[in-house]
Amino acid sequence: MGRVSAWEALLLGVVEGLTEFLPVSSTGHLTLLFHLLGLPVEEDPFLKTFLVAIQLGAILAVLLLYGRRLAADRALWLRIAVAFVPTGVIGFLFYPLIKGVILGNDAVVAFFLFFVGAVLLFADRLAERAQHQDVKALPLARVAWIGVFQGLAALFPGTSRSGATILGGLLLGLNRQAAAEFSFLLALPTMFAAVGYDLWKSAPEVPEGGWSLLLLGFLAALATALVTVRWMLAFVARHGFRPFALYRMALAAVYAFFFLR
């Protein structure tokens, strides 16, 4: 099982919960942590499954926080569905490439950590002239393009699913808070589909004791994400996305220095 221990599973779950909904790339941080712990994520199929499966805890956090609002808002569900369609198509078509080749690739992670950080820096300035305070005011064609941004993020670790959807939302006219909240909500069908499909494909290969490690990571991600989602909305309202963009670019430089030499 890649020699992963219970405390390492908990630590990885905490990092997932902290970073999944921030535009900083949870996959990039987890890949870096795998390196620091000496866990061979590029070669070990179980570690790749673990990397995907613990996202389920972060999804449940969003469902707990936004479930009541979602239950009463059909217009919001329509926009989530419209954005999910291109994401689902891209993810389904390129799943073998993502899981078998790209996931855990250090060069890809470092490049997209920096690139998306630079573009996010630019997009954050556009938010000062945002036209829409709510995703329900955004035309459906633009909503679909946010789904394209998210689908492309799945192809390149280091991009950040939340970072790509926030970036798409900002570029297409949403203000900062609306872009962040729609990123949280779009995670529900996207990550349920991605995690469900991966577990369905990988379940027979999960070794003895593997499910208990997945459960530990799941619970740690759930508890941490519940706090992170609320904190992020308050932080973005005060500071915008510039600190996240600069952090991404600095992390990319550190990542490249230590793991691409």
Side-chain angles (χ1 to χ4, degrees):
M1 293 182 292
R3 304 184 302 279
V4 63
S5 65
W7 79 265
E8 288 169 335
L10 283 170
L11 178 60
L12 289 161
V14 168
V15 172
E16 162 62 23
L18 284 172
T19 58
E20 179 59 49
F21 298 111
L22 303 182
V24 297
S25 177
S26 60
T27 302
H29 282 77
L30 288 169
T31 303
L32 176 60
L33 184 55
F34 275 124
H35 280 303
L36 295 176
L37 295 173
L39 299 172
V41 64
E42 291 188 50
E43 295 86 18
D44 193 307
F46 174 72
L47 292 180
K48 288 187 176 183
T49 295
F50 184 93
L51 185 61
V52 175
I54 58 174
Q55 296 175 6
L56 198 60
I59 307 171
L60 184 56
V62 171
L63 196 57
L64 292 173
L65 291 171
Y66 286 92
R68 186 172 300 177
R69 177 181 168 187
L70 286 168
D73 199 334
R74 293 184 179 181
L76 184 56
W77 267 116
L78 174 61
R79 277 153 177 79
I80 293 172
V82 167
F84 173 69
V85 170
T87 296
V89 170
I90 293 171
F92 180 77
L93 291 177
F94 292 98
Y95 173 82
L97 177 66
I98 297 168
K99 187 73 182 287
V101 180
I102 297 175
L103 195 62
N105 186 296
D106 291 325
V108 172
V109 169
F111 175 79
F112 281 99
L113 275 170
F114 185 89
F115 176 74
V116 174
V119 180
L120 185 61
L121 200 59
F122 166 76
D124 188 55
R125 296 177 183 174
L126 296 181
E128 297 171 4
R129 304 188 298 273
Q131 298 174 320
H132 304 291
Q133 313 301 311
D134 192 316
V135 71
K136 289 185 289 185
L138 200 65
L140 290 179
R142 292 192 184 185
V143 172
W145 273 107
I146 296 177
V148 173
F149 273 83
Q150 181 177 243
L152 293 176
L155 295 179
F156 305 109
T159 299
S160 168
R161 186 210 59 80
S162 60
T165 52
I166 288 170
L167 179 60
L170 294 175
L171 292 175
L172 292 164
L174 291 177
N175 70 2
R176 294 183 178 103
Q177 184 167 351
E181 284 202 320
F182 190 60
S183 173
F184 301 156
L185 297 172
L186 187 52
L188 290 171
T190 302
M191 293 167 65
F192 267 124
V195 174
Y197 186 69
D198 186 82
L199 288 177
W200 175 64
K201 297 280 288 186
S202 306
E205 301 174 5
V206 174
E208 184 179 353
W211 290 107
S212 61
L213 293 173
L214 291 176
L215 179 61
L216 282 174
F218 163 85
L219 292 174
L222 168 61
T224 312
L226 283 169
V227 176
T228 302
V229 167
R230 291 173 173 170
W231 170 85
M232 180 183 170
L233 289 174
F235 182 89
V236 167
R238 293 194 303 270
H239 306 290
F241 292 105
R242 178 182 172 84
F244 296 113
L246 296 175
Y247 171 76
R248 288 181 63 105
M249 297 165 73
L251 181 64
V254 172
Y255 197 110
F257 179 79
F258 284 103
F259 299 109
L260 294 181
R261 292 187 297 170

